[in-house]
């Protein structure tokens, strides 16, 4: 049986699913998120590794060191290049971070905070949410 939330890359070759309802949903304006997403910010949330299931495709991982100084793997579809999830986060062991835009049904899943607002560009308006200059504490 399919899990509650399903997601995929742009070409549909990478598919994954999980049951956990997203809790800590962050809009992150950091430089890494800008570079990796190509946008002003990235929106993502954590899912326990034990619940996360890859259904199809062979995502490729790119390891790098984030602005925080901690390592992580960004996984993307080698066919279409879409970024799909992050794993092996030194700061959050056992958690997979999924990007909101990968979800098949993103409606109703809303951000709860904004972080790295010191990197927010002047034209981007703050949402009516808790604001954090860098990492939430
Ligand atoms: Zn793809
Ligand atoms: Zn970020």
């Amino acid at each position: 049986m399919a899990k509650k939330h399903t997601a995929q890359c742009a070409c549909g070759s990478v598919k994954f699913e999980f049951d956990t309802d997203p809790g800590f949903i962050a809009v992150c304006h950091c430089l890494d998120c800008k570079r990796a997403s190509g946008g002003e910010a990235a929106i993502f949330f954590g899912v326990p590794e034990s619940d996360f299931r890859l259904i199809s495709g062979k995502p490729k991982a790119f390891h790098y060191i984030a602005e925080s100084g901690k390592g992580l793997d960004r996984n993307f579809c080698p066919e279409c290049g879409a970024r799909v999830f992050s794993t092996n986060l030194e700061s959050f062991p056992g958690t997979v971070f999924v990007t909101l835009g990968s979800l098949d049904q993103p409606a109703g899943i809303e951000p709860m905070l904004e972080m790295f607002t010191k990197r927010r560009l002047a034209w981007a308006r703050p949402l009516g949410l808790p604001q954090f200059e860098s990492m939430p504490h």
Side-chain angles (χ1 to χ4, degrees), residues 90-130:
E90 265 181 67
S91 8
F92 296 91
T95 306
V96 177
F97 280 84
V98 172
T99 40
L100 177 79
S102 304
L103 294 173
D104 292 325
Q105 307 287 341
I109 297 174
E110 297 181 4
M112 300 176 73
L113 61 92
E114 285 192 89
M115 58 196 253
F116 279 95
T117 57
K118 61 181 179 187
R119 302 287 192 193
R120 181 168 46 214
L121 298 179
W123 53 260
R125 298 274 76 87
L127 300 168
L129 298 171

Side-chain angles (χ1 to χ4, degrees), residues 8-14 76-82 84:
Q8 61 183 302
C9 66
C11 77
S13 110
V14 172
F76 60 94
C77 171
E79 308 298 328
C80 69
V84 277

